[in-house]
Amino acid sequence: MTEIIFENTRFDPDLIEFHDIAKQMAKSVGYTAALSVEKPLAQLLRLRVSQINACSYCLILHTKAAAEQGIAAEKIAHLASWRESTLYSKEEQAALAYCEALTEYDLKGFPAMHETLTEFFDEKAIAEIAAIVINMNLWTRLKLAQGATPKID
């Protein structure tokens, strides 16, 4: 397959220290981080944020990472319609609902989504899930702002 590269069409994010801070966050909770949350679930959350925010860079990166982690192609392909699926566990459904509420800033629905998480995850795992979603929202917005545009190399 032809390699895809990304061109910054708006600005170079390395011009300010913020990009380094974002990279530190990625080391802590990004797709290569060691977390207590299961890797496939963490990857589904990253991919779902990428879908909601329509980030080309993140969609390509996290679709590939999900496949590399052994998540079934069918599960990856219809993540956007997870509510209409039996492929996702109750734990995954709770985390995905929380992910969407946090990403879409659903002030009314968020408390209930958090409460549902407590049925499946301990406080540390919930903190990791929140950090994964927050980190991905940061990256999707950064990549949009810098104009990270995919190109075939």
Side-chain angles (χ1 to χ4, degrees), residues 3 15 19 31 36 57 62 64 79 84 108 112 116 139:
E3 184 180 349
L15 293 174
H19 197 214
Y31 74 102
S36 66
Y57 176 90
H62 292 291
K64 182 179 176 183
L79 179 58
E84 303 298 322
K108 291 181 183 178
T116 301
W139 278 99

Side-chain angles (χ1 to χ4, degrees), residues 16-145:
I16 62 171
E17 185 180 344
F18 179 79
H19 197 214
D20 289 332
I21 295 167
K23 289 176 185 177
Q24 290 174 17
M25 284 180 60
K27 286 180 185 175
S28 174
V29 293
Y31 74 102
T32 61
L35 302 168
S36 66
V37 172
E38 293 180 8
K39 285 186 177 278
L41 173 59
Q43 197 53 43
L44 289 173
L45 296 174
R46 292 180 190 103
L47 185 53
R48 186 66 189 119
V49 172
S50 302
Q51 291 173 339
I52 292 168
N53 293 332
C55 174
S56 295
Y57 176 90
C58 299
L59 282 165
I60 291 168
L61 175 70
H62 292 291
T63 298
K64 182 179 176 183
E68 289 172 353
Q69 289 183 9
I71 299 173
E74 296 81 6
K75 200 167 183 176
I76 295 168
H78 85 269
L79 179 58
S81 62
W82 65 267
R83 284 184 173 81
E84 303 298 322
S85 175
T86 59
L87 296 181
Y88 301 91
S89 70
K90 296 290 185 196
E91 293 87 353
E92 289 170 331
Q93 291 173 18
L96 287 165
Y98 177 93
C99 169
E100 290 179 0
L102 186 54
T103 298
E104 295 170 349
Y105 202 67
D106 179 0
L107 291 176
K108 291 181 183 178
F110 189 77
M113 300 305 153
H114 174 82
E115 191 60 34
T116 301
L117 271 190
T118 66
E119 297 173 23
F120 303 103
F121 302 98
D122 64 19
E123 189 174 358
K124 180 180 180 185
I126 292 171
E128 287 179 350
I129 289 168
I132 290 164
V133 173
I134 292 164
N135 181 61
M136 278 307 303
N137 274 287
L138 177 142
W139 278 99
T140 58
R141 284 156 174 81
L142 177 60
K143 292 299 180 183
L144 170 65

